[in-house]
Amino acid sequence: MNSNTFRMPAAALFATGAVALLCAPPASATAQHGAGEGKASAVVLRAGLDVGLLDKTVHVPLTATLNEVGAPADAAKTALTVTLDGVEGGQPVSVLRADVATSKATADTSRAEAEAHLAKARVHVPGLPLLSLIEVEKVTSKAVCEAGKKPVASSNLLGKVTVLGKKVTLSAAGPTKVEVPKVGLVSLELSVTGTTSTTAAATALRLKVSVNPLDLNVAQVEGEIVLAEARCESPAAPAPAPSPAVTPDIKVQTGTSGSPGGTGTGPGTGTGLAETGGGSLTPYVTGGALVLLGVGAVALVVTRRGRAS
């Protein structure tokens, strides 16, 4: 009795555990990495100049920026002038004066944007205190980068442009060159823009400068000046959501109808077995159950014979 009472539940537990293992859905990874923030930057003026001094026969590199800002954090500047010291007879040089000079950059996990505006602006270089290198009415640049979308860059120039005292008409087809005898040469590029799959950049005006005023202790000024520049980089696209786990469809046949011993699987021919949809372990589970059933039957016969004797 003890033997029979122990073995039958053990067989039931074995069969139940095997079915549970077959029915358990596979584990799926659901962790997601957070999307990164975008980047953006803007500047109203960027100058990189090399100034040659007559009496010292040396070259002095000069760099200057006005209203340079960067993000991910929101940033904005509105300074209207920038000066350089010690290159024009010891007097400061006003590189830029403007009525409007603003730059702004913002960035977060979904969007990065930068823009720069300049209006009524006059740019000077050492050696030309009374003559503007360039004067512009209004220039703007903007760059927008959104996650999952193509970046956009744009620049605009409105109104007249004067270079070394000459009114010029700029062309988007290529550089415009302006030369003034005994003063110098300026090459201008209008609305330089570019985009990739994740970045955008726009520059309203880029000037390549080479002037030789031979005055005020300045022999030659060469370099580049950029007006209204905006750049951005797209935020990382969010990771796709994981696919939901598929739970196997398990149906149990009751075997309440049909002839005994039938081999069909439809209603009326049920065999009273659980239908699991088939699998590589099904024959082993069934065989194990049959073996345990046979062992239990043998044990029952032996016990009855023992009692009869």
Side-chain angles (χ1 to χ4, degrees), residues 60-308:
V60 180
L62 298 176
T63 60
T65 60
L66 179 66
N67 295 346
E68 184 174 25
V69 295
D74 291 354
K77 289 187 178 180
T78 57
L80 300 179
T81 63
V82 59
T83 60
L84 294 174
D85 296 324
V87 292
E88 199 171 77
Q91 300 298 316
V93 177
S94 177
V95 178
L96 174 69
R97 291 185 180 273
D99 291 350
V100 177
T102 63
S103 59
K104 184 178 180 181
T106 60
D108 54 28
T109 57
S110 61
R111 178 185 177 95
E113 181 176 345
E115 54 185 311
H117 302 272
L118 189 61
K120 299 291 183 181
R122 297 163 296 282
V123 179
H124 290 267
V125 295
L128 298 175
L130 302 178
L131 184 63
S132 298
L133 178 70
I134 186 172
E135 296 182 16
V136 296
E137 291 288 329
K138 183 178 180 180
V139 291
T140 63
S141 289
K142 187 174 184 178
V144 179
C145 299
E146 292 188 55
K149 294 184 179 181
K150 183 178 180 180
V152 178
S154 62
S155 290
N156 290 295
L157 185 148
L158 302 175
K160 65 180 181 179
V161 177
T162 302
V163 178
L164 297 176
K166 291 185 175 182
K167 186 178 179 180
V168 299
T169 301
L170 302 179
S171 172
T176 299
K177 294 183 178 181
V178 179
E179 185 174 8
V180 177
K182 298 183 180 181
V183 176
L185 172 67
V186 178
S187 177
L188 301 92
E189 286 185 276
L190 171 66
S191 299
V192 181
T193 61
T195 60
T196 67
S197 60
T198 58
T199 63
T203 300
L205 279 173
R206 177 178 284 118
L207 293 74
K208 293 184 178 180
V209 181
S210 179
V211 298
N212 187 15
L214 296 176
D215 195 10
L216 295 176
N217 197 34
V218 176
Q220 191 172 10
V221 179
E222 293 187 348
E224 184 177 85
I225 295 177
V226 169
L227 298 179
E229 180 184 76
R231 296 177 178 271
C232 66
E233 181 177 340
S234 299
S243 300
V246 179
T247 303
D249 184 13
I250 301 175
K251 298 179 180 179
V252 179
Q253 296 180 347
T254 61
T256 56
S257 62
S259 59
T263 59
T265 59
T269 59
T271 60
L273 298 178
E275 180 184 353
T276 62
S280 59
L281 295 178
T282 301
Y284 299 101
V285 175
T286 304
L290 293 176
V291 169
L292 289 174
L293 183 61
V295 171
V298 171
L300 181 61
V301 172
V302 171
T303 301
R304 288 180 177 177
R305 287 182 177 179
R307 288 179 180 177

